[in-house]
């Protein structure tokens, strides 16, 4: 049975702009379901620069990107949004009654009255290591490019590859979950945070994980399911080890992905919108944040917030063409709940 969700607005993308759109929709008593291909909300802020300070959010002289995401999630709590994370929206259909159905990679179906695309620079796709037969073991056969649910690896033998924050953080975390953890890194020094690298080294010295430096995973073996990997040192020595899962964590790069195939008017991989309400060329579908384009567009979080507010007014009119909405301030009404 497919997982079917019904809502007013389906927001594609849980970056800062998609998250804030939930707030603006909530003020209009519109329910939202938010879908993101990443396993966590926050878009670029969580994935690329969680520890970077941001200086141009009104009211915050300085705020860490990760803290802004935390605040945005707290701000939308009164509206009880629902989320599908770790699944990419692949396609959608507009029905005769003007409503929509969206479908994700994992078979989730979202039925909604309007669609808000807040897909940023697109969905993040993994940077894959140069291992010849990697693709043979993708799709549940043993190779994972992100950790969606750490419990999936409980009591399993895993090999992680990489030298950045993700590889270090997940090695430290999964050391307490998996039966056996090996971290393979092509260099001798790590790009990730120094304290995470220190923790990895301490775990290795205590024999809780295996740390293999100056090496790469060069070949995967198995019959339909991954069973062994070959780890080759920079000096040419090779070792084949048994495992259940290989997790190469070399970062993610954003690509427009399926959004480019949805028949919307595009310019330079961005969705053309009307700045009246950020509507696209297809009535009922709106685009906000980094994904859209219009004369004078600035790819800034604060511009995306403004777009989210106007988009929700447009979505309200699309959903309830005969209802009149009068703007009320949150200070007068408090934050209403749904
Ligand atoms: P994003 O943050 O890109 O989020 C989009 C989300 O959509 C992603 O999580 C993606 O996984 C998801 N998605 C895409 N396609 C699909 C799909 N088909 N299905 C499901 N999910 C999908 N801006 C500022 O205002 N101030 C700054 O100081 C600042 N510093 C920056 C520093 C760096 C290093 C970078 C890279 C950017 C910076 N920016 C800054 C820009 C800012 O990050 C973007 O403007 C902002 O992230 C746009 O938000 P968004 O919600 O539109 O998109």
């Amino acid at each position: 049975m497919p997982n079917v969700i019904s809502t007013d607005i389906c927001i594609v993308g849980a970056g800062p702009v998609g998250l804030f759109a939930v707030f603006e929709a909530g003020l209009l008593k519109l329910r939202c379901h938010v879908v993101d291909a990443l396993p966590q909300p926050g878009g670029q802020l969580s994935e690329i620069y969680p520890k970077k300070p941001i200086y141009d959010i009104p009211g915050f002289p300085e705020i860490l990107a990760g803290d802004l995401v935390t605040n945005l999630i707290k701000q939308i709590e009164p509206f009880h949004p629902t989320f599908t994370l770790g699944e990419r929206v692949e396609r959608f259909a507009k029905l005769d009654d003007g409503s929509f159905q969206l479908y994700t990679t994992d078979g989730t179906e979202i039925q909604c009255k309007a669609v808000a695309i807040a897909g940023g620079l697109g969905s993040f796709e993994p940077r894959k290591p140069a291992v010849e037969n990697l693709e043979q073991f993708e799709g549940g056969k043993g190779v994972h490019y992100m950790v969606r649910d750490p419990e999936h690896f409980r009591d399993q033998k895993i090999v992680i590859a990489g030298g950045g924050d993700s590889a270090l953080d997940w090695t430290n975390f999964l050391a307490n979950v998996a039966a056996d953890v090996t971290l393979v890194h092509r260099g001798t020094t790590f790009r990730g945070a120094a304290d995470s690298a220190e923790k990895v080294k301490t775990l290795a010295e205590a024999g809780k994980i295996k740390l293999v430096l100056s090496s790469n995973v060069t070949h995967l073996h198995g019959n339909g399911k991954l069973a062994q990997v070959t780890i080759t040192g920079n000096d040419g020595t090779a070792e084949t080890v048994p495992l259940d899962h290989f997790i190469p964590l070399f970062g993610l790069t954003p690509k427009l992905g399926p959004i480019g195939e949805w028949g919307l008017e595009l310019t330079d991989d961005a969705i053309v919108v009307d700045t009246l309400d950020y509507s696209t060329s297809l009535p009922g579908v709106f685009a906000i944040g980094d994904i859209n384009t219009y004369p004078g567009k600035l790819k800034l979080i604060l511009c995306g917030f403004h777009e989210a507010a106007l988009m929700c007014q447009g979505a309200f009119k699309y959903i309830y063409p005969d209802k009149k909405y009068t703007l009320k301030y949150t200070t007068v009404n408090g934050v209403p709940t749904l």
Side-chain angles (χ1 to χ4, degrees), residues 12-18 35-38 42-45 48-49 52 54 56 87-89 118-124 258-259 262 288-290 299-301:
V12 181
V17 177
V35 190
D36 204 296
L38 293 174
Q44 296 172 51
L45 287 70
I48 303 179
Y49 59 99
K52 184 189 96 73
I54 306 178
D56 54 356
E87 295 183 28
R88 186 164 86 165
V89 177
L121 304 175
S123 51
F124 287 84
I259 293 173
W262 292 351
I288 50 174
D290 279 10
K299 289 190 180 182
L300 286 176
I301 298 163

Side-chain angles (χ1 to χ4, degrees), residues 5 7 10 33 35 100-104 108-112:
I5 292 149
T7 191
C10 180
H33 184 78
V35 190
F100 297 87
Q101 279 177 349
L102 290 85
Y103 304 90
T104 73
T108 303
E109 181 183 318
I110 300 120
Q111 301 173 343
C112 59

Side-chain angles (χ1 to χ4, degrees), residues 13-256:
V17 177
L19 292 175
F20 190 65
V22 174
F23 183 85
E24 289 296 322
L27 293 179
L28 302 177
K29 298 215 175 282
L30 296 173
R31 289 171 304 135
C32 293
H33 184 78
V34 188
V35 190
D36 204 296
L38 293 174
Q40 78 283 329
Q44 296 172 51
L45 287 70
S46 302
E47 192 55 41
I48 303 179
Y49 59 99
K51 302 281 185 216
K52 184 189 96 73
I54 306 178
Y55 299 101
D56 54 356
I57 302 298
F60 291 94
E62 175 180 340
I63 184 165
L64 290 182
D67 291 344
L68 179 62
V69 173
T70 305
N71 287 357
L72 285 165
I73 290 167
K74 191 167 169 42
Q75 194 170 17
I76 61 179
E77 269 169 13
F79 302 116
H80 311 295
T82 47
F83 287 87
T84 297
L85 296 175
E87 295 183 28
R88 186 164 86 165
V89 177
E90 284 299 302
R91 62 192 175 90
F92 76 86
K94 186 169 182 179
L95 308 184
D96 290 344
D97 65 358
S99 69
F100 297 87
Q101 279 177 349
L102 290 85
Y103 304 90
T104 73
T105 31
D106 291 29
T108 303
E109 181 183 318
I110 300 120
Q111 301 173 343
C112 59
K113 297 169 185 160
V115 178
I117 304 173
L121 304 175
S123 51
F124 287 84
E125 293 186 9
R127 280 196 200 98
K128 299 184 184 181
V131 180
E132 209 177 88
N133 57 343
L134 199 65
E135 276 157 24
Q136 203 181 315
F137 297 101
E138 291 176 347
K141 295 183 201 132
V143 171
H144 312 261
Y145 298 108
M146 56 175 84
V147 178
R148 289 180 185 174
D149 178 6
E151 280 305 309
H152 187 69
F153 303 105
R154 183 160 296 279
D155 302 328
Q156 302 280 297
K157 283 187 177 176
I158 62 172
V159 172
I160 296 174
D165 282 316
S166 292
L168 292 171
D169 290 349
W170 282 119
T171 299
N172 286 324
F173 188 89
L174 292 172
N176 295 318
V177 176
D180 191 285
V181 178
T182 301
L183 174 63
V184 181
H185 177 42
R186 61 188 160 210
T188 50
T189 54
F190 292 99
R191 286 188 322 283
D195 63 323
S196 309
E198 218 35 63
K199 274 188 206 146
V200 162
K201 284 179 195 155
T202 307
L203 285 173
E205 279 157 17
K208 295 200 171 138
I209 63 157
K210 199 169 165 211
L211 181 58
V212 186
L213 297 174
S214 305
S215 301
N216 288 290
V217 169
T218 51
H219 208 82
L220 310 183
H221 315 267
N223 191 2
K225 167 124 189 44
L226 185 63
Q228 294 175 314
V229 290
T230 300
I231 301 171
T232 306
N234 295 347
D235 60 3
T237 53
E239 180 194 10
T240 295
V241 297
L243 83 172
D244 298 304
H245 304 279
F246 174 46
I247 314 176
L249 297 173
F250 293 100
L252 302 170
T253 46
K255 294 222 170 81
L256 185 61

